Amino acid sequence: MAKSDDPYETLGVARGASQAEIRAAYRKLAKQHHPDLNPGNKAAEARFKAVSAANELLSDPDKRGRFDRGEIDASGQEAPPRHSYREHAEAGAGRRYGAGGPQGQAWSQADIDDMFGSMFTEEAHGGTRPRRGHDEHYVLTAAFLDAVNGAVRRLTLPDGRTLDVKIPVGTTDGQVLRLRGQGGPGRHGGPAGDALIELRIAPHRFFVRDGQDIRLELPVRLSEAVLGGPVEIPTPGGVVRMRIPPHSDTGTELRLRGRGVPAHGKLPAGDLRARLRVVIGRADAALEAFLRDWKPEHDADPRAALMGAGTGEGA
């Protein structure tokens, strides 16, 4: 086998590499050579396909074991029989069908049965057997809200084909979707392989996912923080109204039940958790004049607890 056909060398891992090491090597190389990141680069496209094929073989324990034992080659096809009649028919004169086997060994009955069995098998199948196509690996970057709410997005493949990928509700970063029959074509009437789509979730400008919950930093006016009242806020499902309690400070967390990631599978709907951030805004002469003359009824020092920090008393 040529070195370039060795899946271990293709991924740059040792033959005893763990599945985690194989997965990490594949992700690094797939990202580096992905056609979407190397438009028009045929070498990168070929390298990406080679890396995907190597990962497809080594990530399957059964296929990896058969490859290590020499039962299949790097493409996943069956290795040729040990003693095919062809190697003797094509041998030099005086060695064809002689009494000696390879390297001068005597032919056993098993060798003869194997040779003629190979002949009849190939004749019966016309020299071919149905082969399943390879699974093909792709990466699709999904918008944050598409991953939360679910969506259908189109993926253009290196060969020009397009796939409509259904992104499930609550999809997480790194999740792999399997589209059956959308991979490499089968051989000699065999079924097509599958397309394996790894989803990468793009970050959102305001939302951060925390399990089933969605976190949001919510700016509020000074008047809204002091007086309270309803405000409109965005959620993954649209804009809703939420009431801010009077005398709310920066850091106050408010929760809207059921407004996070929608329920899916056995998971209930998450919540939206809004953390308030009081914004003073532009200079306001009236506010400044009021504060100069304002005498608070309870003038507690908000930094009193910090004063011992420099002396070790607050430890």
Side-chain angles (χ1 to χ4, degrees):
M1 177 185 299
K3 289 187 176 180
S4 59
D5 292 334
D6 188 327
Y8 291 101
E9 292 196 11
T10 299
L11 293 180
V13 298
R15 298 187 76 85
S18 66
Q19 285 297 318
E21 291 171 328
I22 290 172
R23 183 166 53 251
Y26 164 67
R27 288 188 175 183
K28 178 182 178 181
L29 293 172
K31 183 176 181 180
Q32 179 182 350
H33 299 288
H34 195 279
D36 289 349
L37 302 178
N38 300 273
N41 189 333
K42 296 298 183 182
E45 180 179 334
R47 178 66 171 154
F48 176 78
K49 290 182 177 180
V51 166
S52 297
N55 178 68
E56 192 272 336
L57 189 148
L58 296 183
S59 62
D60 185 318
D62 179 63
K63 289 183 180 179
R64 182 180 180 182
R66 296 188 67 199
F67 173 79
D68 289 344
R69 292 190 297 271
E71 298 173 5
I72 59 175
D73 61 20
S75 66
Q77 305 305 312
E78 298 289 338
R82 291 174 300 167
H83 308 309
S84 170
Y85 74 96
R86 285 195 178 91
E87 63 185 86
H88 307 289
E90 296 169 359
R95 296 189 59 192
R96 298 177 182 173
Y97 310 114
Q103 299 179 355
Q105 298 174 1
W107 285 98
S108 67
Q109 185 61 46
D111 292 330
I112 297 172
D113 292 343
D114 184 52
M115 179 179 72
F116 284 99
S118 174
M119 291 175 59
F120 294 132
T121 298
E122 292 195 14
E123 288 179 359
H125 293 279
T128 62
R129 285 186 293 175
R131 308 280 190 186
R132 181 180 180 276
H134 292 298
D135 290 343
E136 296 183 344
H137 298 250
Y138 304 99
V139 176
L140 174 63
T141 298
F144 182 91
L145 292 180
D146 286 347
V148 170
N149 296 319
V152 175
R153 291 294 177 262
R154 179 158 293 180
L155 174 65
T156 301
L157 306 184
D159 61 5
R161 289 186 300 143
T162 58
L163 294 178
D164 288 332
V165 181
K166 183 177 180 180
I167 302 173
V169 172
T171 294
T172 55
D173 188 68
Q175 187 170 333
V176 177
L177 307 180
R178 181 182 292 272
L179 301 185
R180 298 195 178 278
Q182 298 297 328
R187 299 180 184 180
H188 312 306
D194 302 335
L196 302 178
I197 315 296
E198 181 178 348
L199 295 175
R200 303 280 176 81
I201 312 304
H204 194 275
R205 185 180 177 186
F206 303 113
F207 295 133
V208 175
R209 184 168 174 178
D210 183 5
Q212 283 290 95
D213 293 342
I214 300 293
R215 295 190 177 275
L216 166 69
E217 186 176 85
L218 181 66
V220 294
R221 301 183 184 93
L222 176 62
S223 59
E224 292 169 333
V226 173
L227 303 176
V231 297
E232 291 188 340
I233 70 169
T235 75
V239 175
V240 300
R241 291 174 69 85
M242 179 181 72
R243 178 169 293 278
I244 296 177
H247 311 297
S248 294
D249 287 327
T250 288
T252 299
E253 184 176 277
L254 305 179
R255 181 170 65 176
L256 290 176
R257 295 186 180 277
R259 293 290 183 172
V261 179
H264 58 279
K266 297 181 179 181
L267 297 175
D271 302 332
L272 184 133
R273 298 177 179 271
R275 183 179 182 274
L276 303 186
R277 176 169 58 86
V278 179
V279 178
I280 301 300
R282 296 182 178 180
D284 186 317
L287 177 60
E288 292 176 0
F290 167 76
L291 291 175
R292 289 191 188 97
D293 299 330
W294 178 47
K295 302 296 182 184
E297 182 178 353
H298 303 289
D299 192 14
D301 183 356
R303 294 175 296 279
L306 300 178
M307 291 303 100
T311 63
E313 296 178 6

